[in-house]
Amino acid sequence: MAMPTLSSIFYLAIIITSMAVARPASAQLSVSFYAKTCPSVFTTVRAAVRSAINREARMGASIIRLFFHDCFVNGCDGGILLDDTGSFVGEKTAGPNANSARGFGVIDNIKTQVDKACGGTVVSCADILAIAARDSVVELGGPTYSIPVGRRDARTASKDSANSDLPGPSEDLDSITKKFSNKGFTLREMVALSGAHTVGFARCQLFRQRLYNETNIDATLATSLKANCAATAGSTDGNLAALDSQSPNRFGNNYYQGLMNNKGLLHSDQVLFNGGSADSIVKTYSNDMSAFNTDFGNAMVKMGNLSPLTGTAGEVRLDCKKVN
């Protein structure tokens, strides 16, 4: 019998270690969690997501971003969905979310459809958002991956944590890497998750500084962007530009190819390929769509396992906008 090689032993050790690390966060999440209580949840969410994207192609990217902004703040608990009240401050008005995070009405609509299909309030808003994000990736042409469910909804939220934990559009590579590392993500996983910017748009005010003050931006792209984004704050602040100018509504690895040609829209995009530690990973994904798809799917599952509320913690909201 052939003896195992040193590399195979090392690889096995990595798998075992990863499983040991991941198990506590996702111990009570399961793909079959709703098999008896609401077996149609996945098909119901998928149909609703497809309908929403058919109405507005941009919505898919918005839902993916909403999921990310939920999970990065106190875990995947639906906290971002809560409205402010006279006695409660949620996360919607935090800097990274105000006038930016969108898709709340779509999630509310999906919640209504799911509750109807289940015959009652069974599925949490946090789970609906996680499933909807996966389905958005698939509908836009990206990879599919399994979604363990069983999350419950938080009764609290944290505007301060949203302001401090979420990466910003003007941050440098070291800062972004640290924020992802604080959540347990490797550099490679961070670069893979950044590939979500293969779809979606950003407002002029978020890329103006890069557009008019940085030199590592493709000249043709810069000229095109300046036509819709003035050098000073004002009426063009809300004008949109595609994060990936080649395919803003189609999931793929064009984002990484664009970075290699200085076509990153945001400063935080282009720092992934600017002579730093992430360059080699960007090159890999730009040349290997399969590697990107696999790593992205795995990283999204890992993100969905960030500190979920399970068991009797939290609640299953009747209305995603407010606690019961």
Side-chain angles (χ1 to χ4, degrees), residues 11-316:
Y11 180 65
L12 180 61
I14 291 175
I15 293 175
I16 293 172
T17 302
S18 298
M19 290 173 65
V21 171
R23 190 175 294 118
S26 57
Q28 298 181 62
L29 300 183
S30 167
V31 174
S32 60
F33 186 85
Y34 297 113
K36 293 182 178 179
T37 56
C38 189
S40 64
V41 59
F42 289 105
T43 55
T44 302
V45 174
R46 181 66 180 273
V49 167
R50 180 180 294 124
S51 177
I53 293 175
N54 284 340
R55 287 194 302 271
E56 182 189 0
R58 181 188 170 203
M59 187 53 66
S62 296
I63 292 174
I64 297 168
R65 183 169 182 264
L66 202 57
F67 173 62
F68 170 75
H69 281 221
D70 182 40
C71 292
F72 246 57
V73 181
N74 296 341
C76 305
D77 60 4
I80 195 173
L81 305 175
L82 291 169
D83 281 345
D84 289 0
T85 68
S87 58
F88 173 85
V89 178
E91 297 165 15
K92 290 183 178 180
T93 56
N97 297 327
N99 301 314
S100 177
R102 59 195 300 273
F104 300 104
V106 171
I107 299 302
D108 289 339
N109 179 56
I110 297 175
K111 168 70 169 169
T112 299
Q113 295 184 46
V114 168
D115 283 357
K116 182 178 180 181
C118 299
T121 301
V122 175
V123 182
S124 68
C125 299
D127 273 345
I128 287 173
L129 181 53
I131 299 168
R134 187 275 309 273
D135 291 345
S136 293
V137 171
V138 175
E139 286 298 315
L140 296 174
T144 189
Y145 47 90
S146 296
I147 292 289
V149 288
R151 301 168 190 81
R152 287 167 65 85
D153 298 317
R155 298 187 180 95
T156 61
S158 177
K159 181 178 179 178
D160 288 343
S161 294
N163 281 324
S164 63
D165 292 5
L166 289 165
S170 299
E171 289 192 53
D172 291 325
L173 181 60
D174 286 348
S175 175
I176 299 169
T177 301
K178 187 175 189 302
K179 287 187 174 182
F180 274 84
S181 177
N182 288 342
K183 303 296 180 181
F185 291 103
T186 65
L187 176 66
R188 188 179 180 97
E189 289 168 335
M190 181 272 284
V191 177
L193 288 171
S194 297
H197 280 187
T198 187
V199 292
F201 296 78
R203 290 169 292 147
C204 164
Q205 68 184 85
L206 299 181
F207 60 84
R208 174 183 285 119
Q209 183 69 19
R210 165 163 166 70
L211 178 59
Y212 286 97
N213 294 282
E214 297 181 14
T215 57
N216 61 337
I217 183 169
D218 177 79
T220 301
L221 175 63
T223 298
S224 173
L225 292 172
K226 286 176 180 178
N228 204 38
C229 181
T232 56
S235 61
T236 64
D237 284 3
N239 289 354
L240 299 174
L243 290 162
D244 175 359
S245 58
Q246 290 183 264
S247 56
N249 294 313
R250 194 68 183 166
F251 202 95
N253 64 344
N254 287 337
Y255 168 77
Y256 299 104
Q257 295 167 1
L259 295 183
M260 293 181 65
N261 291 296
N262 287 335
K263 292 183 178 180
L265 181 67
L266 305 177
H267 176 84
S268 57
D269 290 321
Q270 195 58 56
V271 295
L272 299 181
F273 191 81
N274 193 37
S277 56
D279 282 17
S280 61
I281 306 170
V282 171
K283 288 180 181 177
T284 296
Y285 292 155
S286 71
N287 293 318
D288 191 340
M289 179 73 166
S290 178
F292 166 52
N293 281 342
T294 297
D295 288 357
F296 181 82
N298 289 339
M300 286 289 279
V301 172
K302 183 173 178 176
M303 185 162 65
N305 289 339
L306 287 177
S307 305
L309 297 174
T310 58
T312 58
E315 63 185 15
V316 177

